[in-house]
Amino acid sequence: MEAFNHEEYISRGRCNTWPLQQQPHINGEVFQNPKNEMQKNGGRKNPWGNRSYAELITDAIYSSPEGRMTLAQIYEWIIYNVPYFNQRTDSKSSAGWKNSVRHNLSLHNRFMKMQNEVQAKPSWWIINPSASNTKTRRRTASASNSCEGMRPKAKCRIESDQLNIQQIKNFLQYPYGSDFSHNICRQQVNSIIPINHSFHHQLAPNSIDHHQQISNTENIHQYFSNFNLNSQENEHKTIFDQDQEQTLQDIQEIINRDQNTFNVNGRLWYCG
DNA sequence: GACGTTAAACAAC
DNA sequence: GTTGTTTAACGTC
Ligand SMILES: [Mg+2]
């Protein structure tokens, strides 16, 4: 891994996981793109109109007599019914919006996948109109190994059932910006925590300020309730209410007291 | 702070 | 190459 050059990066305002590469500037002036989606889109929310992807998918599926469509059929419906996409059908210009369609199908609870009754045929997508909008519990993200400087922008994965104190410390360095609550707490998918799951977690590079203010206490609390240190309520309160150094000390204390083991989601974790 | 879009890693086929 | 899941970051209100 190359050394991280702090000079070339600036921290991000919100998510603050990966530092932003310094923008090129001329005469000290950084270019600013004029923003206003509505204006840019001629008074519409999106370049194709006011329907969101999720609404388009819903329209598509309901338009079918059986109330079900394959992914390819959803694409076709969108291409046929929305002029903007009708002009973006080749593999290059359709890659982005098709990606978004798939993302929406996976993300939203109300889109449900049904096995095709014909062997080896593509799945049906159906709509569960009563699917709750309420958050389902997501699986726990894990810590990962520490590293110096910039971490490659790649999903980090560990397969181990073991966490050591350094990994816990790293985990707690996850920045608590509003994107944290959005991406980690709202954009969840799984309601069931698989037994043999692997963990994904990206860490902030060491360059950023880890003493960020903690916002969105409710969501974070909910998130950390998965990270349940022996079910002692006031133990994990400290994770939110106190600063980083104090939190780390608290964690260390809990771990020491409990003989280097603790419980996450009903599983026993060992601290090396 | 919430919602939606976009990009992309990655797995499975 | 397609389908599907997931994480991350950005734009906007
Ligand atoms: Mg879904």
Side-chain angles (χ1 to χ4, degrees):
Chain A
M1 190 176 307
E2 313 109 57
F4 178 72
N5 182 358
H6 294 226
E7 306 298 309
E8 292 174 19
Y9 294 88
I10 51 178
S11 73
R12 295 175 189 270
R14 260 197 326 197
C15 44
N16 215 355
T17 47
W18 303 99
L20 195 60
Q21 189 130 27
Q22 201 84 49
Q23 290 302 300
H25 50 82
I26 294 175
N27 298 333
E29 299 244 347
V30 177
F31 289 115
Q32 202 93 334
N33 290 337
K35 313 241 157 74
N36 187 326
E37 291 295 314
M38 288 292 265
Q39 216 160 319
K40 204 165 67 190
N41 297 323
R44 300 168 307 174
K45 280 194 286 194
N46 290 307
W48 57 86
N50 285 325
R51 307 291 281 161
S52 67
Y53 281 116
E55 289 168 335
L56 290 177
I57 292 166
T58 304
D59 293 346
I61 294 175
Y62 277 145
S63 80
S64 77
E66 312 235 300
R68 60 184 196 182
M69 269 190 182
T70 65
L71 176 63
Q73 289 172 329
I74 294 170
Y75 290 158
E76 283 169 29
W77 186 94
I78 289 174
I79 288 169
Y80 187 80
N81 287 282
V82 187
Y84 176 87
F85 297 112
N86 196 21
Q87 284 158 247
R88 288 161 179 80
T89 57
D90 65 282
S91 63
K92 195 156 192 177
S93 61
S94 68
W97 67 262
K98 285 180 175 176
N99 188 2
S100 294
V101 168
R102 295 194 304 276
H103 170 79
N104 273 263
L105 285 169
S106 285
L107 179 63
H108 297 295
N109 289 327
R110 64 179 180 281
F111 302 129
M112 296 174 68
K113 200 171 49 171
M114 221 182 76
Q115 197 183 53
N116 196 310
E117 62 280 7
V118 183
Q119 263 312 320
K121 287 280 185 182
S123 309
W124 296 113
W125 287 97
I126 61 176
I127 291 172
N128 176 2
S130 60
S132 68
N133 289 326
T134 57
K135 299 173 171 73
T136 47
R137 275 178 53 215
R138 77 181 309 286
R139 70 184 182 198
T140 310
S142 85
S144 180
N145 298 321
S146 68
C147 76
E148 287 301 318
M150 183 63 171
R151 185 174 279 283
K153 189 166 170 36
K155 284 175 185 168
C156 208
R157 161 168 298 196
I158 59 170
E159 307 288 341
S160 169
D161 275 2
Q162 301 192 357
L163 286 181
N164 59 37
I165 184 61
Q166 185 57 53
Q167 290 173 322
I168 293 167
K169 287 180 182 179
N170 291 337
F171 178 61
L172 293 170
Q173 288 173 358
Y174 202 103
Y176 304 109
S178 66
D179 274 335
F180 174 88
S181 66
H182 173 69
N183 290 331
I184 304 297
C185 298
R186 193 182 71 82
Q187 191 180 235
Q188 27 61 15
V189 179
N190 289 344
S191 56
I192 297 167
I193 300 155
I195 301 290
N196 293 310
H197 58 305
S198 56
F199 300 94
H200 308 74
H201 183 55
Q202 288 185 346
L203 286 177
N206 295 341
S207 64
I208 70 161
D209 177 13
H210 291 137
H211 298 266
Q212 295 174 63
Q213 71 178 41
I214 294 172
S215 60
N216 205 348
T217 310
E218 193 64 29
N219 276 339
I220 290 170
H221 194 283
Q222 192 185 338
Y223 176 63
F224 273 90
S225 65
N226 288 329
F227 194 77
N228 185 0
L229 297 164
N230 293 325
S231 308
Q232 290 174 33
E233 287 300 322
N234 32 355
E235 300 289 11
H236 55 81
K237 238 182 198 128
T238 62
I239 293 171
F240 323 112
D241 297 343
Q242 300 178 19
D243 74 6
Q244 191 78 32
E245 280 310 308
Q246 187 59 51
T247 301
L248 293 175
Q249 285 173 30
D250 292 344
I251 296 284
Q252 183 69 72
E253 259 178 49
I254 293 164
I255 290 164
N256 290 340
R257 194 182 56 227
D258 295 326
Q259 295 146 351
N260 288 348
T261 65
F262 60 98
N263 209 307
V264 180
N265 296 326
R267 299 174 73 192
L268 204 55
W269 291 64
Y270 304 88
C271 305

